[in-house]
Amino acid sequence: MIGTVTEFIAEAVFASDLQPSRPVTVAEAWAAVTAAVTRFGAQGCVDVLAREYGERPETAAPRMRFARELAATLTPATALAG
C-alpha cells in the first residue's frame, strides 16, 4: 500500500535500475522513477521490493535506505526543473 508520494517514489527508485554506488542527478532519478512505474506499475514496484526483501534481505535493506534518501530529495518542484 502506498502511504505518501515520497514512499511511492522510494518504491519506484527501489525497483529502478539506479545504483547507490554512483551519483545520480535529479533528472536521472526522475527518469528512473518514470521508467520503473511505466515498466512495473505502482503495485509492481511494491512487488519487486517485497520479492527482494524475501530473497535477498541483506542487500534489500541498504537499497531501500538509498531509495528513501533519494526519494526525500525529489519534490514536485525538482520534477519540473529537471
Side-chain angles (χ1 to χ4, degrees):
M1 179 177 145
I2 298 168
T4 67
V5 171
T6 302
E7 290 170 352
F8 168 72
I9 293 168
E11 291 159 355
V13 169
F14 186 98
S16 77
D17 293 332
L18 293 177
Q19 296 300 315
S21 59
R22 77 170 200 72
V24 178
T25 67
V26 169
E28 289 172 325
W30 279 118
V33 166
T34 301
V37 173
T38 300
R39 180 175 177 197
F40 299 115
Q43 184 59 48
C45 290
V46 174
D47 294 344
V48 168
L49 190 152
R51 185 176 56 249
E52 288 299 312
Y53 267 95
E55 294 175 3
R56 292 180 275 298
E58 69 284 352
T59 60
R63 180 160 184 80
M64 192 59 191
R65 277 191 294 280
F66 159 74
R68 290 180 64 132
E69 289 170 4
L70 182 57
T73 69
L74 300 177
T75 65
T78 63
L80 297 174

